[in-house]
């Protein structure tokens, strides 16, 4: 293993994050605060408790997931897209680093960033509502798994994208809707039976459900299923990346 | 260094071909051996395949067929060892604009699997007169400095082979000389240098051997000295004060021709020869009463050489 190489990529990527620390933190914190003000306080005050949890507390796990998903994808996709765009990818491609090492560097850094942001969102939420975490270790496990899977997914998007529009389109057109419809702001049991069935095709339902379980011990679907689905997604992304490097798809000519 | 193994060829390319996804064949059955410690110039016009060849050796482009070894290692099977031996300065200036010079060279060294060695990197930056810029972001540097930063990055992991893809394109005379001096200095430390260029005089100035590539084929590889003897024809051009209708009898012994409606007199000479004949020509011109306003020389261009090469083969 070329650990110096992994470290170099990892540190380079994190440096980019810290260079723009204010923007990196400000936008997720502001948007989360807005959600809490609008949904938690304004609307939430009129909402009844869901499964015995106050509405404000109920949306905390979903909001954290929302941030982690979008940040993982955008950080990882941007991280590998930029060198492709600027041409500096030549150095990565000509370096004695394996595909695994490249992915470890980029995806590791992107996941780290979104974990840091996840913690910041957690602290922000504490500021607005009171809640506690029932299974902190499981919470951490879901957090790490999700950050990793979606950073891998973002990496794939970054390799696939050949323009800034493509870089934006999947997060905007697919991930954000799926997250909103994935039970961030409601329990899927509140939906009519037909839509409950439809929702089960949304993979993000499982993530949010599992994550919420680690907080409050309540879930829309079984925790085992949640974990399995996350694992399957992780595996799919890993296989895709393996294929990308094996064929040189959009990295080498 | 003690871990380095001696090899017969620093770079060995066998039957290498490249067909791009577009279907365009950029390289056709390339065979090339580059000796340890030499400076090798790859000379060829735009689109000849120079960058493609370098990119394959460095692992940026996949070959369609053929084998390549660098420092004795197969670039596919032993890609780590092969790549660790190579430093690349690509043709395009592409750097991380927001990075600082110092962190970008440290990054390069780490990326190539070397433990940090700040003393070495300091020396590299000093050699490239970049040391006082080490805390500048790359964005704030001039084009010439950026190019030197890319050289510093390529040298950061102490490579045994350095590729310079058109190091002097768009570079002023001073920097060009600096670049040449740097390449010579590198060679003294045992680094094998492969550079590409469009300019014959650059190849002549720098290289021990020259390979000429055209349309994806290596047309010849030869010692610089003997190649120049064969091909390095020059022309002396005299802008005449008064046009001539014909070349005077007294000057018939020289290889002269008239151009620009008799306003220019062209003299072909071989600057590798013992005597160019120029002083004698000028003397006889004066004796014949032919005045000229200006004079300059012109080297045979790459195109001339190709014409000669292809002509010689037919
Ligand atoms: N990705 C690509 N897809 C298709 N054709 C390509 C690609 N890259 C290069 N080529 C073609 O391959 C040929 C060789 O290109 P290459 O860049 O190797 O030439 P070069 O000798 O470096 O030229 P220059 O002196 O202009 O840098 C050119 O005709 C070019 O158009
Ligand atoms: Mg080129």
């Amino acid at each position: 293993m070329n650990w110096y190489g992994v470290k170099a990529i990892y540190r380079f990527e994190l440096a980019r994050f810290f260079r723009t620390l204010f923007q990196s933190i400000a936008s997720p914190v502001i948007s989360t605060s807005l959600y809490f003000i609008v949904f938690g306080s304004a609307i939430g005050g009129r909402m009844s408790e869901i499964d015995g949890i106050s509405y404000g507390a109920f949306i905390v796990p979903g909001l954290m997931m929302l941030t982690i998903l979008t940040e993982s994808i955008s950080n990882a996709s941007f991280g590998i897209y930029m060198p492709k765009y600027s041409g500096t990818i030549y150095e990565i491609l000509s370096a004695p680093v394996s595909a695994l090492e490249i992915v470890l560097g980029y995806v590791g850094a992107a996941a780290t960033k979104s974990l840091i942001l996840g913690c910041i969102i957690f602290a922000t939420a504490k500021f607005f509502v009171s809640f506690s975490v029932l299974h902190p270790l499981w919470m951490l496990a879901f957090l790490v798994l999700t950050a990793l899977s979606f950073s891998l997914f973002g990496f794939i998007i970054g390799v696939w994208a050949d323009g800034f529009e493509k870089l934006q389109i999947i997060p905007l057109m697919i991930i954000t809707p799926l997250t909103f419809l994935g039970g961030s702001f409601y329990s899927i049991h509140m939906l009519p039976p037909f839509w409950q069935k439809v929702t089960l095709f949304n993979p993000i339902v499982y993530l949010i459900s599992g994550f919420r379980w680690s907080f409050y011990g309540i879930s829309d679907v079984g925790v085992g299923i949640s974990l399995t689905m996350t694992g399957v997604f992780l595996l799919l992304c890993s296989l895709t990346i393996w294929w990308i490097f094996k064929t040189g798809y959009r990295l080498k000519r | 260094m003690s871990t380095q193994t001696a090899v017969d060829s620093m770079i060995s390319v066998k039957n290498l071909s490249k067909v791009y996804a577009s279907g365009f064949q950029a390289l056709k059955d390339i065979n090339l051996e580059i000796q340890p410690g030499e400076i090798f110039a790859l000379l060829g016009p735009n689109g000849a395949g120079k960058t493609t060849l370098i990119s394959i050796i460095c692992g940026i482009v996949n070959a369609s067929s053929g084998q390549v070894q660098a420092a004795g290692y197969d670039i596919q099977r032993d890609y780590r060892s092969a790549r660790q031996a190579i430093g690349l300065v690509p043709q395009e200036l592409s750097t991380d604009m927001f990075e600082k010079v110092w962190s970008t060279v440290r990054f390069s060294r780490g990326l190539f699997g070397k433990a940090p060695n700040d003393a070495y990197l300091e020396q590299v930056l000093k050699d490239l007169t970049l040391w006082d810029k080490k805390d500048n972001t790359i964005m704030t540097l001039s084009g010439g400095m950026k190019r030197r930063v890319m050289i510093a990055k390529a040298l950061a992991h102490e490579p045994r082979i350095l590729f310079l893809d058109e190091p002097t394109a768009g570079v002023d005379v001073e920097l060009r000389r600096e670049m040449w001096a740097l390449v010579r200095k590198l060679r003294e430390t045992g680094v094998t240098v492969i550079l590409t260029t469009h300019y014959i005089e650059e190849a002549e100035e720098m290289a021990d051997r020259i390979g000429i590539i055209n349309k994806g084929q290596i047309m010849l590889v030869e010692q610089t000295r003997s190649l120049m003897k064969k091909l390095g024809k020059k022309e002396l051009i005299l802008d005449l004060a008064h046009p001539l209708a014909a070349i005077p009898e007294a000057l018939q012994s020289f290889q002269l021709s008239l151009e620009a409606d008799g306003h220019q007199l062209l003299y072909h000479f071989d600057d590798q020869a013992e005597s160019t004949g120029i002083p004698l020509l000028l003397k006889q011109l004066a004796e014949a009463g032919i005045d000229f306003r200006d004079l300059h020389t012109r080297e045979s261009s790459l195109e001339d050489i190709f014409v000669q090469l292809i002509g010689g083969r037919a």
Side-chain angles (χ1 to χ4, degrees), chain B residues 51 91 165-166:
Chain B
T51 300
Q91 185 170 358
D165 198 355
E166 292 189 34

Side-chain angles (χ1 to χ4, degrees), chain A residues 5 19 91 93 95 101 252, chain B residues 59 80 83 99 108 110 153:
Chain A
R19 204 161 42 222
E91 203 180 12
L93 292 178
E101 289 151 1
K252 293 191 184 193
Chain B
R80 280 188 201 271
R83 291 183 189 181
E99 285 289 302
S108 297
K153 281 167 75 70

Side-chain angles (χ1 to χ4, degrees), chain B residues 170-189:
Chain B
V171 150
D172 71 9
V173 181
E174 195 184 343
L175 185 56
R176 181 170 302 197
R177 298 217 179 285
E178 269 178 38
M179 210 76 88
W180 291 353
L182 175 80
V183 168
R184 289 204 190 86
K185 204 173 152 191
L186 281 173
R187 195 248 299 267
E188 279 164 29
T189 65

